[in-house]
């Protein structure tokens, strides 16, 4: 056995307002039928005016911390298992402001004191990257207990006239708590596979707002402040890179695909999930999907899918779980763990 980061708390938060496919079809040239058949999405949550990524991150973080406390309270040796969190890593591509990072504000509002806290930017792969970062800091002895949050509010950067992106993306936050433990325990993160390919940087992008655009005097060109995605090549790469990354991690961990109980992939499109399942030779029951209810919530997607799978009883202690994500950058990443006993309480929406 060796020192490992062990998942010990889980939470999530969705904004109140739900936008149905029918509501989108009233505003744009689209239909419930197109969105459901091409993406599997039925509705998405969007923030209210004035609500931001940090608000969702704080709510999800508070729930994950409560889950970790409740889980530890159940353990045989009692409440002294609850050490204070000494690291906050927030995955987001929609920070409250370009500078500074959003994580320090989230840590402050959660009352976590002067802990190290920073943002990780890897778009839809952000949560897996943040998980790997926090887990590495725990195994290196730099941290003992970490709050890892994935939170995004893509509704704030979408072009209101873009029927494709508006059909797909939703807002949300998901969070987990990691503690130091050993590699033989349920919940221990057993390995990661991470990668990137910057030659695809233009496929998923917001052109304006960064140093390249701002170094030129004058305002950004019209529309460049909005998020854009070239759907077809992204679709192909998402299937290829999540399948390859999953396969290479499975080999490293020593599992074959049939031994995996649940694959919790980034919830981009049901057709992508099914194609990854086909590439890996998975059965439908192995694939977790909640995108019909929340859409693509970017960095929140994987922890929200975990939360919903636990709440629905689909994900059980002892299950072998493979997480895999793909997103802008291009970036991709996978992680493996055996699902632990967790107290999660009732999901907050
Ligand atoms: N309603 C109706 N028609 C639409 C809509 C819509 N909401 N959106 C697109 N269309 C139209 C297109 O305009 C196009 O029309 P045309 O043939 O007249 O030009 C037609 O439907 C087909 O368009 P495609 O882009 O080929 O549609 P596709 O089946 O590929 O679906 C989609 C588009 C859903 C975007 C898909 O390509 C996809 O899921 N891509 C991957 C997204 C992804 O994985 N993202 C993950 C990373 S995202 C991140 O990191 C932030």
């Amino acid at each position: 056995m060796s020192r490992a980061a062990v998942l010990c708390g889980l939470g999530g938060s969705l904004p109140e307002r739900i936008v149905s496919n029918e509501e989108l079809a009233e505003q744009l040239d689209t239909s419930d039928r197109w969105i459901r058949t091409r993406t599997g999405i039925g509705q998405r949550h969007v923030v209210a005016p004035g609500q931001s990524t940090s608000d969702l991150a704080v709510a999800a973080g508070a729930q994950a911390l409560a889950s970790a406390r409740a889980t530890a309270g159940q353990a045989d040796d009692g409440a002294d298992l609850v050490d204070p969190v000494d690291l906050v890593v927030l995955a987001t591509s929609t920070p409250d402001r370009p500078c500074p990072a959003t994580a320090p504000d989230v840590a402050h509002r959660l009352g976590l004191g002067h802990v190290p806290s920073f943002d990780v930017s890897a778009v839809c792969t952000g949560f897996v990257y943040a998980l790997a970062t926090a887990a590495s800091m725990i195994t290196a002895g730099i941290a003992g207990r970490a709050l890892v949050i994935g939170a995004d509010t893509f509704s704030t950067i979408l072009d209101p006239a873009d029927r494709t992106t508006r059909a797909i993306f939703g807002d949300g936050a998901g969070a987990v708590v990691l503690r130091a433990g050993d590699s033989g325990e349920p919940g221990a993160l057993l390995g990661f596979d991470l990668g990137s390919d910057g030659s695809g940087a233009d496929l998923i992008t917001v052109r304006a707002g960064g140093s390249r655009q701002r170094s030129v005097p004058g305002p950004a060109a019209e529309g460049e402040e909005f998020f854009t995605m070239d759907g077809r090549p992204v679709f192909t790469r998402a299937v290829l890179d999540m399948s390859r990354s999953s396969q290479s991690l499975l080999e490293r961990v020593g599992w074959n695909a049939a031994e995996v109980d649940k694959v919790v992939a980034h919830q981009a499109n049901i057709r992508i999930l099914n194609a990854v399942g086909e590439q890996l030779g998975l059965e439908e029951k192995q694939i977790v999907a909640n995108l019909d209810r929340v859409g693509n919530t970017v960095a929140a997607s994987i922890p929200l899918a975990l939360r919903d799978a636990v709440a629905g009883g689909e994900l059980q202690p002892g299950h072998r779980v493979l997480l895999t994500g793909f997103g802008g950058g291009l970036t991709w990443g996978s992680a493996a763990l055996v699902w632990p006993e967790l107290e999660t309480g009732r999901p907050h929406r």
Side-chain angles (χ1 to χ4, degrees), residues 15-17 45-53 56 152-153 155-156 171-172:
E16 234 166 82
R17 177 155 150 65
H45 292 247
V46 301
V47 286
Q51 200 179 18
S52 73
T53 296
L56 301 182
D152 270 303
T153 50
S155 69
T156 63
D171 302 335

Side-chain angles (χ1 to χ4, degrees), residues 122-147:
V123 202
C124 296
T125 320
F127 181 75
V128 180
Y129 267 60
L131 202 62
T133 305
S136 313
M137 289 177 72
I138 287 175
T139 52
I142 298 168
R145 182 176 287 257
L147 176 62

Side-chain angles (χ1 to χ4, degrees), residues 29-31 34-35 38-39 123-124 154 163-164 167-169 204 227 229 231-232 234-235 238 266 268-269 271-272 296 298 326-328:
D29 181 16
T30 188
S31 65
W34 192 96
I35 300 170
R38 303 306 291 165
T39 71
V123 202
C124 296
F154 260 47
R163 63 181 176 175
T164 306
I168 295 172
F169 291 97
I204 296 170
F227 172 87
M229 179 174 74
R232 279 191 195 181
V234 169
F235 190 107
H266 170 54
N269 184 322
R271 290 156 52 221
I272 292 177
N296 178 347
V298 193
F326 171 86

